[in-house]
Amino acid sequence: MEDRYFTIGMAGHIDHGKTSLTKILTNIDTDRLKEEKERGISIEAGYAPLQTEDGTHISIVDVPGHERFIRQMIAGVAGIDLVVLVVAADEGIMPQTEEHLEILKFLGIKHCIVAISKMDLVDEVMLEIVKDDIQERLKDTIFQNAPYITVDSLSGNGIVGLKKTIFAELKKVQFRDAYGSFRLPIDQVFTVQGQGTVVRGTVYEGIVPKGSQLTLLPKGITVKARHIQVHHQEQQQARAGQRTAINLGGVDKHSVSRGDVLVASDHFLATDTIDVVLQLVENDFSPIKQRAPVKIHVGTSEVMGKIVLFDRNELEQTADEVLCQIRLDEEVVVRRGDRFIMRRPTPVETLGGGWIIRPKGGKYRFGEETIQMLRNQQKGTPQDLVEDILAKHILLDMKHLIQQTSLDEQVFKETVAKGLKEGLLIEVTGGKYCLSKTFARITDELSGRLEMFHAEFPMRFGMSKAELIQSFSKVYPKPFIEYSLNTLIDQNKLKKSEQFVLLASFQPDLPQKWKVRMTQIIAALEKDGLEPKKWVDYFEGTPVPKSDIPDLTVYLLNTQQAYRLMDDTLIHRTSFNQAILKLQQQTDESFGLKEAKDSLNVSRKYLIPFLELLDQLSYTTRLEDKRQWSSKG
């Protein structure tokens, strides 16, 4: 089963026990800053791993509750899969609880557990009152069916139940797509002596292997992921849903800021104009005038901008969605569908939030025409819809694409024809379609996977095609993998040898680490001529791992540097060829066991297997007690 990675947020009012609850769950105190210790409140979001036994990897984010630190709360909650809403039993719902609930709604967080903390401080009647109060507040919200757990971090009461509930709820959470293009919004930047610049964040999508070349946006700086850690443990890669720290090469700390984004492809845009769907808070607020300054939180970015309205000159509280534009003072890196929070800079208050329908907006006229255009963008253009569906399902035929997009058949055909002409789509065998960028991605991944395989197993003659297909089948449909492999083979980028696939440029060789030792072993085999030791005995007293013996054996047999004399014994090619030459020179067209023994002067233990090997390789043909040369000379 593939490992699963999730991030959980602890949200709630100041001093309601979020940090204490995180500590008893993870055994880690997330209040790290001196000021946090002195004041007893969380200023920056703290992160800790929650250990599990089923292959699920969980990061807990303890986000600040004090209203002055709402910026850090938004950055911390961005990217979480499940929220634990902490409400103290002795106080109930408080102002920051309300604001956190609004923010969670705007950020599209769908899964929630309500943890009523400090249960030992109140009686059962008070617990029920607090629970009823919370249920009333969550009524008609996405969290109305959230499970409730009563806990106490000091006594430990309810903690086991909370853990079980967390594990149960995470089973309902959609697993993050680790195979999209890598994206990491940065929320912390620091330096480590002797290492240089380190950034932290939660991987939104994709995978980043150690050594990857990345781009730091919006600045466009090329950097390298020199080292990767997940919860202070060195890793070869980090993937979607994981909290990670990356040591960057090629950039100093002063060139990196919170809100910058690390990406691994050119699929991402930096923009200062975003078209959005805005939903306002439920409470009344002072009206927002056209082009009024607002503060936008998206990902880990916090950027000032101006709100541009197209169907009104003033924005008042309404339950309806508002289609509008935000023109930012600085560039951000976002995608369609990303969530944002909008706040008034002064007096500071949350006004609303929503999602981005077009990351790179233009300049539009005031009026219904622009609103209609934005509605179409909200719903998605035919091309957007086709691309979005194929990004999700990878490979679909016309029937299923029309079902998924709800497009008219003629519109669909025109859209696909245009996509094929412009190179955005590829028609795959069987009348199915895929995105060109998805094909480019899988071909890169296939080549990269084979490159890693060759580096790890340099003596093997390629990777099993079935194994390669299976390793990608959880992400891509098998027909699409087959099509991609066949295309790469046709383009002479890959080769196929029997059931194996390899890079066209690859040649098997001894691993660099053990090359000298293995060469010595091969030389010892050659020296022993027709009377070699058991193959495994040549490795005794050498540091060559026993696990490498099968690969070296296959390598020598496939390259015909050696032949299998017996099940546990090899013979070097030089010894084999010399023996054939000697035997041919000293025997007639046919010979018996005695003539062979007189010629080669070896014991029956080695002579019989050697003669059988001659038969097997068609040098000789056995006729009763004689052997006849198939080709003499």
Side-chain angles (χ1 to χ4, degrees), residues 179-284:
Y179 294 92
S181 298
F182 168 73
R183 177 165 57 141
L184 173 75
I186 295 168
D187 57 45
Q188 292 179 7
V189 185
F190 55 95
T191 57
V192 175
Q193 188 171 4
Q195 298 292 323
T197 304
V198 178
V199 298
R200 282 201 189 111
T202 299
V203 183
Y204 271 29
E205 54 191 319
I207 294 176
V208 56
K210 179 180 176 181
S212 297
Q213 182 171 296
L214 306 172
T215 303
L216 181 70
L217 295 177
K219 300 178 179 71
I221 301 172
T222 300
V223 296
K224 183 178 181 181
R226 296 194 299 196
H227 298 283
I228 294 174
Q229 287 190 353
V230 176
H231 292 304
H232 307 292
Q233 298 294 317
E234 191 80 12
Q235 302 290 337
Q236 290 302 306
Q237 66 176 31
R239 55 159 294 155
Q242 283 188 310
R243 179 74 184 167
T244 186
I246 303 179
N247 174 214
L248 297 180
V251 67
D252 60 53
K253 175 188 175 184
H254 303 293
S255 300
V256 189
S257 307
R258 182 202 294 241
D260 288 348
V261 181
L262 278 177
V263 300
S265 76
D266 58 2
H267 299 162
F268 297 93
L269 296 173
T271 179
D272 59 6
T273 305
I274 54 177
D275 298 340
V276 302
V277 177
L278 175 64
Q279 185 178 1
L280 299 168
V281 295
E282 297 176 2
N283 300 326
D284 288 334

Side-chain angles (χ1 to χ4, degrees), residues 439-510:
F439 174 73
R441 186 177 76 210
I442 191 177
T443 53
D444 285 346
E445 290 174 355
L446 286 168
S447 297
R449 179 70 182 90
L450 287 173
E451 187 174 354
M452 291 174 61
F453 184 88
H454 294 329
E456 187 176 0
F457 305 106
M459 293 182 288
R460 297 187 186 180
F461 272 63
M463 185 177 184
S464 163
K465 181 182 177 183
E467 181 184 349
L468 181 61
I469 291 175
Q470 185 62 33
S471 67
F472 281 82
S473 63
K474 291 183 179 179
V475 182
Y476 301 107
K478 288 186 178 180
F480 183 61
I481 305 171
E482 288 271 9
Y483 169 83
S484 303
L485 283 173
N486 291 336
T487 302
L488 289 173
I489 292 170
D490 291 341
Q491 294 173 348
N492 295 319
K493 294 179 180 178
L494 301 183
K495 292 190 295 187
K496 185 175 180 295
S497 176
E498 296 180 351
Q499 75 269 35
F500 299 103
V501 181
L502 60 154
L503 293 175
S505 58
F506 174 72
Q507 289 295 331
D509 198 3
L510 299 176

Side-chain angles (χ1 to χ4, degrees), residues 12 108 122 124 135 141 166 243 369 371 429 457 513 547 604 615:
V122 300
E124 290 292 331
Q135 287 178 328
T141 74
I166 287 173
R243 179 74 184 167
E369 183 179 345
I371 293 298
T429 307
F457 305 106
K513 182 177 181 180
S547 59
R604 289 177 62 91
D615 296 340

Side-chain angles (χ1 to χ4, degrees), residues 287-304:
I288 306 166
K289 293 184 179 180
Q290 175 74 284
R291 299 182 183 274
V294 291
K295 184 176 290 186
I296 298 299
H297 299 264
V298 57
T300 57
S301 298
E302 176 188 12
V303 185
M304 290 296 298

